[in-house]
Structure formats: structure tokens, C-alpha cells
Amino acid sequence: MSVLTPQIERLRHAFLSTISPDEDLLPSQWAEKYRIVSAEATGAKMAWSNDFAPYLVEPMDTFHPSCPSDMTIVLKPTQVGASEAMNSLIGWIIHQERKSCMMTQPIIDAMELYSDTRIKTMIRDSPVLAELVSENSRDETNRKLFKTFPGGFLRMSGANSATSLKSIPVPYFVGDEVDEWPMDCDGQGSPLGLVMKRTDRYSERKIWLSSTPTVQGKSLISDQYEKSSKGKYHVPCLKCGHYQFLDWNHLVYKNREYPAYECDSCNRLIDESEKMEMLLSGKWVHEFPDQWVRRGFYLNGLYSPIGFKNDWGNMVREWLEAVEDLKKKRSKLGLVTFKQSRLAEAVKPDDLEDDEPDVEEIQARCEDYPERLPKAIKLLTCGIDIQDSWVEAEIMGWGAGRENWSLDWQAFQGSPGVGPQDGVWQQLALYIQETWITEDGRTLRPVVTCVDTRGHYTNESYKFCQQYARLGVVATAGYNTPGKPLISMGSTKKGVRLYLIGTETSKDTIFAHLNVTQPGPGYCHFPKSAQYDDEYFKQLFSEEPKTRVRSGKRVRVYEQRRRRNEKLDLRSLNYVSLELADPRYMLINKPETTESDAVQVERRSVMQRTYTLKSNWVNRYRR
């Protein structure tokens, strides 16, 4: 297409705006006739066909003026083509209706990416849209989030921006992933409330809301669906002709190479190869067919078209992995993800909380260690926590897959306010230099020691880290910001590099590992000794994970239920020490670490410094 000047482009648009399309097509008819699906979306450029996902036809057609519905609610899983349905609606509005519309993603950044990868490419590859929407780089009226066409415009926004949501009234609104929208937008109320105000002046308004659900009681899409006509897509058994909604509980997979669906009428096992023919013969059945204000549509992943990764076999594999995680790690995360993204079911708030480790059960695991360290231990780490009148330290051993052994903890009494050459600091220096012997004759000592420098005696802590940097002693500062990386680089203070710790992130891993019930990756070993008593385990479980709403978003935080929590802090510091040491030992991601690898780096710290052993005063596990 020739490059037009902005002046000529505006004249062309003014002329085209006086011409109405000759056809009156339903959105699904328009998509099949004019829509080109871009290669960026599917891997290959192709014409749209309603046969690909026939269950999208009725939801799309609710946007036609002949349909009395006001809102279209699509409660969906991932991988069912709902995004392409929204794109087709946008194309139909531009070409057929010639009226202004707005499209919204949860945040501005997501909308910008969507505009570049989905909207821009659809316009480029669909000739009838390319004629109407100029992508001329010199046409400043068609920017990334604002596109003009004869008769109207497309405004794209983020639900986190009240300014963009309430800026311009529109008759058409398309909202995606509404469960990820903030509960409050810039202190001006819910994004949906702002949207309703932007469209309520139009009697012919149409609103589309689609999303994967999140949590019961907080799921916007689930709430809107419950108020709707509550449609479900029913498909026929190709043998008995009985129409039914595909339910996960009817999928049969035990003792079968491939899963099959059991017809709830004739009990025939239906192979997935029959699914497309069933979908083509399917129909929407509404529980409340006379409810036209909100027309609701619900699908789960069993309907995903053939060719998507979300086939029945993959769904079964994901389900079994989630069940296994629950059994071995007491982690509900896999089941939560499966229910939300595959079954399109909002989960209960309690499902977001992993089962708390059973303190008594874990304490009962305490075992007699061999005379020398188990040969599975490949490296040692240490964590040091500074208090007002004492210092605590714990040494841990690590094996493949972060299987770990608590070896020893000590409380050194005395004020840390003295210099690093005296008192508790000298005791710490000796402690981190003690050597431990493994069953196969290797000599180990902590390769990295993390010191918590935040809070108590910061200057003295920095001096200690600087003096013993050659032993792998590093300075850390913990921050309990949800989502913060486990380790990030801080500034250099008093000649010491400071490592910033995301304590919430480290605790996520700690509690996940404490839930592992069988020796192997992630399993936590504890010794039978007077040191590891009731008080130790009470401090280890002094905090509990909770899900809270912060700035309109759900975040996982750890709340203290007990004042003393030094043992949990020590464990967190040890996990950070492992992370710093692991690039040499490869215990986190590598299933096995060969003995030669461990021996090769046995006497090197993470700082790659050599050192001279100063003390050998510990009685056990030594030569």
C-alpha cells in the first residue's frame, strides 16, 4: 500500500466515514469472511474458520444489535481461542459498525504488548481492516494504544489506570482477564464500575468480559457468570446422540494408554479424536434462557480444539503431577493452577494456603547421623544472625536437588559491640573454619557464610565480613517484600558488597521443602541431639504463610505467631548461602553432583579465594 501523507489520509478517512458497509454480518460471519489470523498468533497465517472453535460463535454474535443482551460473560480456561474471538469482535466493530470501542487488559504494559502482537498484526493481515486503519508511521493519530478509523476509534487501556478508563465514552467495550484487574483503580472505585459509567449513555452498548477465574468471593468473572444466563456448551455422543456438558469427572485415564470420555448416558468410552465432530454438532444450553441482560458462557479445558497443547492427555499428566506434589510436598499450587487454568474453576481461599508442615511429625523425623557426615553431602553453608547480647549460627549440609541436613547450631553469648578480633566475633571466626569429614573421606567446611547485617551492630558486622571475606563470609540484608528476588545486588558499604535477600521468597522454598516427606530432593534432615529440641522447632515454625490483599492484588506474606524466630532466619540465610555457592556445585538444578566435581572445588569459597585453616577445635566429624 502506498505511503500517504497525514493530510491525504485524513481526507480519505473522512470520505470513507460517509460510506456504510453494504453487508449486515454477524460477528462470526464477518470473521469467517474477512478475518485473517496472523502467523504471530498461530505459527502460520490463515483465514479464520468458525469450525476451528464452534463454541465461540454464539458468544461473538451477542454483540450484534439484533441480540438484546447488554453484557457477554465468558468464564473460560486457557487455550480455547477466546482471545481470537475478542480480536474478531474488534475487527467487526471497525469494519461493520464504524463506532468507537475500548479494549482493556489488566495493566498498561500488557495492553501495549497485546496491541503490538495481536491487534496490529490482525489489522495488517486483514485487508478490509488495513484499508480503514492507517498504520502509516507518519500518521500520529494512530499510535500504539489509540487507533482511528472512519466513524470512530479504538482506545486500548490498562485496568490499573483510572484516567484511561474514564477518559472517553464508548458504546463498545471488550475487557480481558478481568480477574487480574485491581479491586480499586487509583482510589476511584472498581475498574468495572468506571467502565459501566463510560458506556451507560448508550442504549445499544455492548460489554464483553472474559477471564480465567481466580478465588471464590473475589473472582469478578465468576460473580458476573452467576448473575448471567449461565450457559454451558453441550455436545452429543456420536453413538447414542445424548447431549452433555463435558465434565472432568467423566474422563477415564487409569490403566489406559490414552484417556477417554465416558458418555453419561450409554457409558461408551469416547476417544478424543471424535471431539471435533462433537464440537461442530454442539449447542449452548442456558440454565436461565430468558436472562438477556447478562449472557453467560462457561467452558473448561476439555473443549480445547485438537492441535492445542491442552489435549486430554496433557490435562491428565498435569493433574497427576499436581496430586503428587500435594502428597509429597503438601503443596496445593499445582492443583490451584490446574483448577483455574484447565477447569476454569475459582478455588477456595484455603486452597491458596499450602498445608502447614506438621511440626510434631517433622520433629519426629530427627535421626541418628552416622559417625561421619553422609556421603550424599557435597558442601556446607553457614548462616549467622546477630542479636543484642548474643550471636547465633547454624551449619547445614547440602546434597543433590537441595536435599539438606541440619548439622549444628550454636549461640555465642556476649555483646557483638566489640571489635571483630574479640569476643563472639572470634568465636564465630573459629566456628566457620572447623572441618567436617564425610563417610567417603572428604574434608568439608562452610564455603559461604551469610551474615544478617540489618538491625543489630551493623558496623561490627561489616567489619567481620570484610576481614573474613576470604572464607566466603558475605554481608546480607533481608527485605520482606512479596515477590522480591531471593538475591539481588545492593550497594558497597564500608568496602563490603551487600546482598539483598527476599525473605518471603526464601521462606516459600523453606516451607515447601519442609513439606517434602520422603528423602530425596528438597527433603530436610534433622539430627537427634539436645540442640534440636522443642524450642528449636517452635522457632523454625514461628511464622505462617498467609494470603493478603495489598494494593488490590493478592500476595503471599509470612506473619509471626511467635516472637522468637532466629532458627527460621538462620535457615533462610543458609538457603541464600547455597544459592551463592551453587554456580560451582550445581546442586539446585543438577540431579547428581559427581564426587570429582565436589573434590575439585572442595577448598574454594564462592568468592574464589584461597584460605589458611586457622582452627580445628571441633571434636566430632574431624580427623
Side-chain angles (χ1 to χ4, degrees), residues 58 108 157 180 186 194 213 276 340 354 369 380 389 411 416 452 545:
E58 185 175 324
I108 290 286
S157 64
E180 298 301 324
D186 298 336
L194 296 176
M276 289 311 296
Q340 292 174 335
D354 285 343
Y369 286 177
L380 305 184
S389 58
D452 183 3

Side-chain angles (χ1 to χ4, degrees), residues 17-53:
S17 66
T18 66
I19 303 175
S20 300
D22 295 330
E23 306 162 297
D24 181 18
L25 299 176
L26 295 170
S28 63
Q29 294 172 333
W30 178 90
E32 194 147 68
K33 185 172 183 178
Y34 293 114
R35 171 81 195 282
I36 301 298
V37 182
S38 304
E40 288 87 343
T42 61
K45 186 176 177 180
M46 64 181 71
W48 173 270
S49 172
N50 289 325
D51 290 348
F52 173 69

Side-chain angles (χ1 to χ4, degrees), residues 464-474 605 607 609:
F464 178 78
C465 294
Q466 184 178 43
Q467 182 168 345
Y468 293 98
R470 68 185 188 281
L471 300 181
V473 178
V474 297
S605 72
M607 310 305 288
R609 303 279 185 91

Side-chain angles (χ1 to χ4, degrees), residues 341-593:
S341 64
R342 298 306 188 207
L343 301 185
E345 295 178 358
V347 299
K348 298 177 181 177
D350 289 346
D351 290 340
L352 298 177
E353 310 288 352
D354 285 343
D355 289 343
E356 288 190 38
D358 188 320
V359 180
E360 293 182 358
E361 176 187 318
I362 292 176
Q363 192 170 355
R365 290 184 199 168
C366 290
E367 57 194 277
D368 292 316
Y369 286 177
E371 185 177 348
R372 292 187 172 188
L373 295 183
K375 63 181 180 182
I377 294 179
K378 303 303 180 184
L379 67 89
L380 305 184
T381 61
C382 184
I384 296 176
D385 190 32
I386 313 300
Q387 301 297 320
D388 282 331
S389 58
W390 79 95
V391 175
E392 293 198 20
E394 183 173 24
I395 292 175
M396 291 179 62
W398 299 90
R402 289 191 284 194
E403 184 173 7
N404 56 81
W405 288 258
S406 293
L407 299 179
D408 182 79
W409 79 267
Q410 298 287 335
F412 301 99
Q413 301 298 325
S415 173
V418 297
Q421 300 289 347
D422 306 305
V424 292
W425 298 110
Q426 181 61 22
Q427 295 178 61
L428 283 171
L430 296 175
Y431 183 66
I432 63 176
Q433 293 176 81
E434 65 182 54
T435 56
W436 304 66
I437 310 301
T438 65
E439 291 177 315
D440 51 358
R442 290 173 292 119
T443 302
L444 303 178
R445 72 149 189 92
V447 293
V448 178
T449 296
C450 281
V451 181
D452 183 3
T453 63
R454 193 180 186 195
H456 300 275
Y457 299 103
T458 300
N459 289 337
E460 288 76 9
S461 299
Y462 282 147
K463 291 177 182 178
F464 178 78
C465 294
Q466 184 178 43
Q467 182 168 345
Y468 293 98
R470 68 185 188 281
L471 300 181
V473 178
V474 297
T476 66
Y479 292 86
N480 60 353
T481 305
K484 190 176 181 65
L486 177 60
I487 303 174
S488 54
M489 297 295 288
S491 58
T492 299
K493 296 185 177 182
K494 301 184 182 300
V496 176
R497 168 65 70 182
L498 181 66
Y499 292 87
L500 308 181
I501 300 175
T503 57
E504 308 291 86
T505 303
S506 69
K507 290 167 188 176
D508 281 345
T509 305
I510 289 170
F511 280 89
H513 285 179
L514 288 169
N515 266 323
V516 177
T517 58
Q518 299 295 325
Y523 185 78
C524 304
H525 298 262
F526 297 95
K528 281 185 179 179
S529 72
Q531 293 169 302
Y532 290 83
D533 55 8
D534 290 345
E535 178 61 22
Y536 175 91
F537 287 97
K538 287 178 181 178
Q539 290 191 30
L540 184 60
F541 293 95
S542 58
E543 298 181 15
E544 58 183 340
K546 293 291 183 183
T547 300
R548 297 287 184 252
V549 176
R550 302 279 175 83
S551 300
K553 294 185 178 181
R554 292 177 297 277
V555 296
R556 184 183 177 94
V557 299
Y558 287 84
E559 297 179 353
Q560 277 192 245
R561 52 186 174 187
R562 197 171 186 276
R563 188 177 63 85
R564 296 286 300 278
N565 66 344
E566 292 87 5
K567 305 307 182 292
L568 179 57
D569 289 344
L570 289 173
R571 199 168 193 84
S572 180
L573 291 164
N574 269 286
Y575 269 75
V576 175
S577 296
L578 173 68
E579 192 77 21
L580 290 172
D582 193 64
R584 284 189 161 274
Y585 289 81
M586 295 298 291
L587 297 182
I588 294 177
N589 298 315
K590 187 177 176 182
E592 294 291 340
T593 300

Side-chain angles (χ1 to χ4, degrees), residues 103-122:
M103 187 178 195
T104 298
Q105 291 283 339
I107 59 175
I108 290 286
D109 290 348
M111 189 68 258
E112 289 181 349
L113 180 63
Y114 196 95
S115 174
D116 277 342
T117 59
R118 309 300 284 275
I119 301 299
K120 181 180 179 179
T121 55
M122 177 184 69

Side-chain angles (χ1 to χ4, degrees), residues 55 175 202 312 468 502 607:
Y55 47 76
Y202 299 95
W312 292 354
Y468 293 98
M607 310 305 288

